[in-house]
Amino acid sequence: GDSVTQMEGPVTLSEEAFLTINCTYTATGYPSLFWYVQYPGEGLQLLLKATKADDKGSNKGFEATYRKETTSFHLEKGSVQVSDSAVYFCALIFSGGYNKLIFGAGTRLAVHP
Amino acid sequence: ETGVTQSPTHLIKTRGQQVTLRCSSQSGHNTVSWYQQALGQGPQFIFQYYREEENGRGNFPPRFSGLQFPNYSSELNVNALELDDSALYLCASSKDKGADSPLHFGNGTRLTVT
C-alpha cells in the first residue's frame, strides 16, 4: 500500500546549522506531497507542499523538491533557529474523492543555541 | 477567523467505557476529518465527513463512529475502549472534501485509557 518513510530522529543541531530531513514515499500513482510541523502541545501546521514532479515547495526558509525518479521529498533549511525545534511530518495525498493524508512517523528536531 | 477547536483537551477513561470527542470546524469549512496519533507515530486517518455524511474511512473498526452536524461541527465516538486507543485525536477541517483543499488541524484531544 501507499506509505511514507522518514529518517528517524531525534535530529539535534546547533543554531545556524544546515538541516536535512529525508522523506521517501511508496505510491501507486502521483500524489501531492506535504511537510507538516507540530510544535509542543499543538496540532499540525502545514509547512509546505508540492503537487507534481519537480515542484519545489518553500516556506519560512524551508524547502523541499518533489523528486519522482527517487520518490523523495527531502526537507531542507539553510540555517535553523531554536524556534524550529518541533516534530516534522512528511505526508502524501491523492487527488480524488476525499481528503486522506498518509503520514510518516515524524522526525523530532532539537536545535540548541 | 476562528480556527479548529477541540474539546476536551485531555481525557482519562477506563477500558470498556465509551467516549465522545468534539470538534468545531473553522468558519466556512464544510468538511471534517479525524486522525489518531499514537505516541511517537504519525497521524492515521480515521474518517471524513462532508455535509453531514461519512465519505471516506480508514482502517478502523466500527466501534469508531462519528457525526457531523448542520453547522459542520463534528463528534468522534469510540465504544468499548481498549488500551491501544490511548492517543492524541486530531480533528481537521477543510473548505471542501477533495485533496486540493488544505486541512486545518486543531490542537487535539489527548485520550488515556487505563
Side-chain angles (χ1 to χ4, degrees):
Chain A
D2 303 319
S3 65
V4 175
T5 302
Q6 294 181 231
M7 65 187 287
E8 287 192 22
V11 173
T12 303
L13 295 172
S14 298
E15 207 166 22
E16 299 184 2
F18 184 86
L19 168 71
T20 299
I21 300 178
N22 291 340
C23 170
T24 57
Y25 67 89
T26 301
T28 51
Y30 300 105
S32 295
L33 301 174
F34 301 81
W35 278 100
Y36 280 83
V37 58
Q38 188 172 37
Y39 297 101
E42 298 185 13
L44 297 168
Q45 297 177 26
L46 177 63
L47 183 59
L48 53 84
K49 70 176 185 180
T51 58
K52 62 183 187 296
D54 299 325
D55 268 3
K56 177 186 284 188
S58 61
N59 187 26
K60 298 180 182 180
F62 292 89
E63 292 183 341
T65 300
Y66 190 137
R67 302 286 187 198
K68 187 176 71 171
E69 63 277 10
T70 54
T71 62
S72 64
F73 193 55
H74 304 321
L75 182 68
E76 296 181 338
K77 187 176 185 183
S79 176
V80 293
Q81 305 300 312
V82 172
S83 58
D84 293 328
S85 298
V87 181
Y88 292 81
F89 293 93
C90 185
L92 65 82
I93 198 169
F94 286 98
S95 297
Y98 59 93
N99 219 334
K100 175 185 174 183
L101 278 164
I102 297 172
F103 287 90
T107 302
R108 182 174 298 278
L109 171 66
V111 181
H112 299 291
Chain B
E1 181 178 80
T2 306
V4 178
T5 57
Q6 294 186 241
S7 63
T9 54
H10 295 83
L11 200 52
I12 300 174
K13 290 286 189 178
T14 302
R15 190 171 49 183
Q17 286 187 316
Q18 178 266 342
V19 69
T20 297
L21 310 182
R22 295 178 174 83
C23 173
S24 292
S25 59
Q26 186 164 317
S27 176
H29 289 186
N30 60 21
T31 304
V32 172
S33 304
W34 286 91
Y35 287 78
Q36 180 195 65
Q37 185 179 7
L39 194 63
Q41 300 296 317
Q44 291 195 358
F45 176 77
I46 303 175
F47 42 56
Q48 178 177 284
Y49 279 81
Y50 171 69
R51 294 189 175 182
E52 303 179 58
E53 290 195 4
E54 183 182 299
N55 81 313
R57 189 177 183 93
N59 189 25
F60 280 82
R63 60 189 185 83
F64 285 77
S65 63
L67 283 173
Q68 188 180 30
F69 300 99
N71 66 355
Y72 302 130
S73 65
S74 177
E75 287 182 355
L76 164 65
N77 299 291
V78 187
N79 294 322
L81 283 166
E82 300 177 0
L83 296 179
D84 285 349
D85 296 334
S86 296
L88 180 67
Y89 288 85
L90 294 167
C91 170
S93 71
S94 53
K95 283 187 179 179
D96 202 352
K97 61 179 178 177
D100 296 333
S101 190
L103 293 176
H104 297 255
F105 284 86
N107 287 346
T109 293
R110 172 77 60 189
L111 173 65
T112 302
V113 182
T114 62

